[in-house]
Amino acid sequence: MTSARELFSLPAGPADLCFDKNEFMKKTFSVDEFLHENRKAGSLEIIRDDLGVYLKVLRSAMIELINQDYADFVDLSANLIGLDRKISGIETPLGKLKDEILAVKEALEGTMRDISDCLEQKKALRGHKKSLQSLGKVQGALVKLESLLKPVEGKEKDVNPTLLERAALESIQLQFNIKFCREFLNDEQQKQSEQMKDSLLDQLKTYFLRTLEQKDVEGLERCLRIYCTLDECRTAEDVFRGEIVSPYMSRAVSESSLQNSPQGLTGIYNQILDFISLHMKNLLTLTKKNGKVKGYNFIVNSFWTEVERRMETNMSSIFAPGNPEAFYQKYKCTLEFLERIEQIIEDSTEIAAFKAHSQYKSFQVRWNLPVYFQIRFQEIGSNLEKACSRELEASKFVEQQISASQFNLVQFSIALTCISNCWQEGIYLPQLFHRFFKLTLQLLSRTTSWVDTAITYNFPVSADSQMPSLKLKLLATLFADINNLSKKIPQIITLVVDKAPQSLALTPPQLDEVFFDNRSTLTTKLNRLQTLIVQELVQASIPHIKQVSDIPRLYRKTNRDVPSKCCQYMELLVQPSREFRVRYQAMVGDERLKEFLANVFTCLTLNYYQAVDEVLTSVQKTEESLRRLKNLRDRNANSATTAPTMTTSTDRTTMSDDDKIRLQLQVDVIHYVQEIESIGLARGEIEKLDELMQLVEEATKIRIGSRM
């Protein structure tokens, strides 16, 4: 309902008011808030004056409203005259009517209570009557059952299946009626009822065993239906287990049978499975999914429960994981045994029930797979750990020939063998896939971590004379083996995918992501080894660059011939790189070799450029000093009128010592550039090489290209 405040509208006031008149109609109107918001519009005096003006407007509007509705006010007051007297006149009859209604209500409630009590009594009487009727039926059923189950004199062992069927129906009626008269039964009747049921089950058991022994399919079907009618399917399964399965398994499943069996555990399992074909063929035909009788599961509830119990108690030695090879064979044999049982069951629902059975789970737990894996882990892991703990022998290492296609260090060979062993037949079990996969990653990680130890390995003092070559060979060997190991990872991934359980549905791309860290680590190791190899080659070559400073002493004041071949230091400078290329090109590969040598020659060129520049600068300074000294001597030798001595043609054609020095540097640089280009590197790939060529060209005024 709309409130009066929402329907009422305030009269309009003067337009120059300092406040909005609609603020007075807000439900949250507050004087303090009103003054705070309107204080900016004017002072308190202005607000007071405007409020006074609007108050007058409201009073005028109120008077006008009263004048408009005055006639309605007068009529309302006239209609209210005598209203009290009229109300008093109807009050007495209404009170009397109320009392009469309450009296009728109480009478109705009393009658309803009486009727309800009568109905409850009638219901109780009906219950007693039904119980008495059921009691009579119980007594009659007991008498009838006794006559049906009483064996014929002289034929106690004969069982009439027809009488058993009738007795089963009577037993069902008996149990049904007992539910309605249990409180009226005496002890003798209850005892007699239990005896009749036991007698019926005993005779049914006799008939059941007889049909099994005689392989009477029709009789067996009839017997199973009687059990099903009595809702005693589990009783039939227990009878079969106790009378048929248990005696057979007590002979077949034992430690002595295991020791005497020529085929070992496989022979025991074959004997167990033979029991199904010998004693359970008709049962399974009748009770399988498409069979004639439903509600039975003899494989699980009779056969398997007894077999599993006997194996746990009489053949517990098969579960011992101390001998991993024997444990593996026994476990694989057991898995095949369980698969053959599942093939016999056929129905997927029953197979699921078989696997969900408590004794099936208990049987699986008895196989201590974690202990088996721990033993395998120690065997496999210890082999690699022993290999990684070996020291590199310098004598054997010198004789070793590096191979590009196979592992050169035994640690890598053992690592790959250990990884292969993880998935080898006779070791790997699909149930331990996650553990063996983790072990594979750990083996790769341990191998890559050993590389750090090998890189920092120091050969013994006796090998100091061969230390540089040994160190370089070690680094090259590590590089080759890591590169080979990196190439083996796709094969490892394929092996893991092939061995993975089908339920995981693993694909190579998924595993490739898992191996990403191993690939990245191997790539990091390769890059580090490349850097160390470059450092070794540079350290072997860079000392010979110092001999560049000896070139001026070779030609100054020695009257040597004009240089036509490079100095010996140049051969020594490029020899380590040349030998590395010859020895390790096939192993490293052309692309990687170019990267190695490009880095080596870049570092050497930077130092070579600096040495050549220093020599040329020194030669130029020496030449200028000699020229100034000669000019000074010429001015002091003769008078100014004497003509200068002309240089002979022989003097002009003779090359100075400084020119020989410059030319020798140019010849050396030419040989250096030729060596770089002979390995397939372009001049632009080597930093400072163009500047080095330009430096000697400008010094000799002869272009290297024309000589090369």
Side-chain angles (χ1 to χ4, degrees):
M1 180 180 292
T2 306
S3 63
R5 178 178 295 182
E6 293 175 353
L7 293 174
F8 182 74
S9 60
L10 293 175
D16 57 349
L17 293 177
C18 65
F19 56 81
D20 184 6
K21 63 183 180 59
N22 293 321
E23 293 183 8
F24 298 110
M25 299 300 294
K26 294 180 179 179
K27 294 181 180 181
T28 58
F29 176 76
S30 172
V31 176
D32 295 336
E33 188 175 334
F34 175 81
L35 293 175
H36 179 72
E37 291 179 355
N38 294 286
R39 193 168 183 181
K40 298 179 182 179
S43 61
L44 293 176
E45 289 78 7
I46 295 174
I47 295 174
R48 181 193 61 190
D49 295 340
D50 288 350
L51 288 173
V53 171
Y54 193 64
L55 178 60
K56 292 179 181 179
V57 173
L58 291 175
R59 286 174 177 172
S60 300
M62 183 183 65
I63 294 171
E64 184 179 355
L65 180 61
I66 293 173
N67 291 336
Q68 289 177 355
D69 298 333
Y70 180 76
D72 295 335
F73 292 149
V74 173
D75 292 340
L76 178 61
S77 60
N79 292 333
L80 293 176
I81 297 174
L83 183 62
D84 293 340
R85 186 169 58 255
K86 293 178 181 178
I87 293 174
S88 299
I90 65 174
E91 183 177 3
T92 301
L94 289 175
K96 184 177 180 181
L97 180 61
K98 177 182 178 183
D99 294 338
E100 292 176 354
I101 292 173
L102 291 175
V104 172
K105 180 181 178 183
E106 290 178 359
L108 290 174
E109 290 178 349
T111 304
M112 290 178 66
R113 283 195 296 270
D114 294 339
I115 294 173
S116 178
D117 293 339
C118 292
L119 291 174
E120 290 294 332
Q121 292 177 4
K122 186 176 181 180
K123 182 179 179 181
L125 290 174
R126 285 181 177 176
H128 287 298
K129 182 179 179 181
K130 186 175 182 180
S131 297
L132 292 174
Q133 291 174 350
S134 298
L135 184 61
K137 293 179 180 179
V138 167
Q139 187 61 36
L142 289 174
V143 174
K144 192 172 182 179
L145 268 175
E146 187 176 3
S147 64
L148 290 172
L149 297 175
K150 184 178 181 181
V152 179
E153 186 174 349
K155 298 181 179 180
E156 288 80 2
K157 294 184 179 180
D158 291 340
V159 179
N160 191 331
T162 304
L163 295 179
L164 285 179
E165 289 178 343
R166 292 172 58 189
L169 295 175
E170 286 297 330
S171 178
I172 293 173
Q173 291 294 328
L174 174 63
Q175 298 302 322
F176 176 76
N177 289 315
I178 285 177
K179 290 193 297 184
F180 297 102
C181 63
R182 194 177 299 278
E183 56 186 9
F184 298 101
L185 288 176
N186 54 37
D187 294 340
E188 184 179 353
Q189 289 174 323
Q190 290 182 355
K191 184 177 180 180
Q192 187 180 6
S193 172
E194 293 175 357
Q195 289 176 350
M196 291 298 102
K197 184 176 181 180
D198 293 341
S199 177
L200 174 59
L201 292 177
D202 288 342
Q203 293 190 31
L204 192 57
K205 174 182 176 181
T206 303
Y207 180 58
F208 180 48
L209 296 176
R210 188 181 73 189
T211 56
L212 287 172
E213 182 181 358
Q214 298 176 355
K215 297 184 179 180
D216 182 4
V217 179
E218 293 183 0
L220 181 60
E221 179 185 350
R222 198 171 187 180
C223 183
L224 292 176
R225 290 188 184 279
I226 295 173
Y227 271 118
C228 191
T229 301
L230 293 172
D231 196 21
E232 295 289 345
C233 296
R234 289 304 302 270
T235 303
E237 293 169 349
D238 292 339
V239 169
F240 183 75
R241 174 186 175 184
E243 299 297 330
I244 307 298
V245 182
S246 182
Y248 183 91
M249 297 305 166
S250 64
R251 298 188 301 269
V253 183
S254 64
E255 290 290 349
S256 60
S257 300
L258 180 62
Q259 308 246 340
N260 298 328
S261 175
Q263 297 178 333
L265 186 60
T266 304
I268 298 296
Y269 285 150
N270 289 334
Q271 292 183 36
I272 294 174
L273 292 173
D274 288 342
F275 173 84
I276 297 178
S277 60
L278 292 174
H279 301 282
M280 298 186 67
K281 185 176 181 180
N282 294 333
L283 276 177
L284 296 180
T285 303
L286 291 172
T287 59
K288 64 183 181 180
K289 184 176 181 181
N290 299 324
K292 297 180 179 180
V293 185
K294 307 297 181 184
Y296 294 94
N297 194 341
F298 286 98
I299 286 290
V300 176
N301 298 325
S302 300
F303 171 78
W304 170 249
T305 51
E306 184 64 23
V307 169
E308 194 276 334
R309 185 181 70 84
R310 293 285 181 181
M311 293 181 67
E312 283 196 7
T313 55
N314 298 346
M315 274 197 329
S316 58
S317 62
I318 66 173
F319 303 107
N323 186 340
E325 288 77 14
F327 180 87
Y328 177 87
Q329 295 298 332
K330 292 175 182 178
Y331 186 71
K332 290 289 286 185
C333 181
T334 302
L335 291 180
E336 294 175 0
F337 169 65
L338 295 176
E339 289 177 0
R340 291 174 66 182
I341 294 178
E342 293 176 10
Q343 292 173 0
I344 294 172
I345 296 176
E346 293 182 353
D347 183 52
S348 58
T349 304
E350 294 182 1
I351 291 175
F354 172 58
K355 292 183 176 180
H357 196 272
S358 58
Q359 286 185 253
Y360 182 91
K361 295 179 179 178
S362 174
F363 182 71
Q364 292 284 12
V365 172
R366 288 297 300 273
W367 295 92
N368 205 332
L369 296 180
V371 174
Y372 167 77
F373 173 78
Q374 194 62 32
I375 295 173
R376 291 301 192 187
F377 177 85
Q378 292 175 357
E379 291 177 354
I380 297 173
S382 61
N383 291 335
L384 180 60
E385 196 61 38
K386 290 178 182 177
C388 292
S389 301
R390 296 180 186 176
E391 292 188 1
L392 297 172
E393 298 182 18
S395 58
K396 294 182 179 180
F397 200 78
V398 172
E399 300 172 357
Q400 181 179 350
Q401 297 296 323
I402 298 180
S403 172
S405 58
Q406 298 178 353
F407 290 116
N408 302 281
L409 295 174
V410 67
Q411 287 79 5
F412 290 93
S413 300
I414 292 178
L416 189 62
T417 302
C418 291
I419 292 174
S420 300
N421 289 341
C422 290
W423 309 100
Q424 184 180 353
E425 190 71 24
I427 296 178
Y428 168 71
L429 290 173
Q431 291 73 13
L432 295 172
F433 169 79
H434 62 292
R435 294 177 182 264
F436 280 106
F437 180 60
K438 182 179 179 181
L439 177 57
T440 299
L441 297 177
Q442 289 175 329
L443 293 171
L444 282 174
S445 178
R446 179 66 183 95
T447 306
T448 53
S449 64
W450 172 82
V451 173
D452 294 329
T453 304
I455 289 175
T456 57
Y457 180 77
N458 294 321
F459 287 100
V461 179
S462 59
D464 281 347
S465 59
Q466 300 174 337
M467 185 66 72
S469 60
L470 283 177
K471 187 66 174 179
L472 186 61
K473 188 172 185 179
L474 171 62
L475 296 176
T477 304
L478 287 172
F479 186 92
D481 286 352
I482 293 177
N483 196 29
N484 285 337
L485 182 61
S486 180
K487 294 177 180 178
K488 298 289 184 183
I489 288 182
Q491 300 177 14
I492 297 174
I493 292 175
T494 303
L495 178 62
V496 174
V497 171
D498 293 340
K499 294 291 184 177
Q502 294 181 355
S503 58
L504 295 179
L506 290 179
T507 59
Q510 291 174 333
L511 285 183
D512 195 60
E513 295 179 2
V514 177
F515 280 89
F516 175 78
D517 290 339
N518 297 93
R519 291 178 181 273
S520 178
T521 303
L522 291 175
T523 302
T524 302
K525 302 297 182 187
L526 288 175
N527 293 335
R528 183 185 177 191
L529 286 169
Q530 178 175 336
T531 301
L532 293 174
I533 290 173
V534 170
Q535 291 177 356
E536 288 293 326
L537 292 175
V538 170
Q539 289 176 5
S541 301
I542 206 167
H544 303 294
I545 295 179
K546 296 179 181 180
Q547 298 183 29
V548 175
S549 60
D550 296 334
I551 292 177
R553 291 196 297 270
L554 296 176
Y555 289 98
R556 192 164 279 126
K557 307 298 183 181
T558 59
N559 199 25
R560 282 177 175 266
D561 295 335
V562 176
S564 60
K565 62 179 182 178
C566 64
C567 295
Q568 185 179 3
Y569 81 89
M570 180 53 62
E571 291 293 332
L572 298 175
L573 177 66
V574 298
Q575 183 179 357
S577 299
R578 185 189 301 148
E579 291 179 353
F580 181 82
R581 178 193 175 195
V582 172
R583 292 180 180 179
Y584 306 121
Q585 182 174 11
M587 177 268 296
V588 175
D590 293 338
E591 294 298 325
R592 279 287 190 173
L593 182 66
K594 286 184 178 181
E595 291 182 15
F596 286 0
L597 298 182
N599 293 331
V600 171
F601 282 114
T602 295
C603 184
L604 293 178
T605 302
L606 292 174
N607 289 272
Y608 190 30
Y609 178 88
Q610 183 178 1
V612 171
D613 184 55
E614 290 177 356
V615 170
L616 290 176
T617 303
S618 176
V619 168
Q620 184 178 1
K621 290 180 179 179
T622 303
E623 190 176 30
E624 291 177 353
S625 299
L626 292 175
R627 186 181 297 111
R628 286 195 299 270
L629 182 60
K630 182 180 180 180
N631 292 336
L632 181 61
R633 287 176 180 176
D634 290 341
R635 284 196 301 269
N636 296 331
N638 297 315
S639 62
T641 58
T642 305
T645 305
M646 300 296 295
T647 304
T648 64
S649 61
T650 304
D651 295 332
R652 287 194 300 267
T653 58
T654 302
M655 183 177 290
S656 66
D657 294 341
D658 294 331
D659 289 337
K660 292 179 181 179
I661 294 171
R662 294 187 183 95
L663 184 58
Q664 182 64 62
L665 290 174
Q666 187 180 33
V667 171
D668 291 345
V669 170
I670 291 173
H671 183 78
Y672 181 70
V673 173
Q674 288 175 343
E675 286 290 336
I676 292 177
E677 291 181 340
S678 66
I679 62 176
L681 294 175
R683 298 182 185 181
E685 297 180 33
I686 308 302
E687 185 179 351
K688 277 288 187 182
L689 185 59
D690 289 334
E691 289 86 339
L692 177 62
M693 291 187 296
Q694 185 178 359
L695 180 65
V696 294
E697 284 176 1
E698 293 177 352
T700 59
K701 304 303 181 181
I702 302 174
R703 293 196 56 81
I704 291 179
S706 62
R707 289 178 170 266
M708 297 176 62

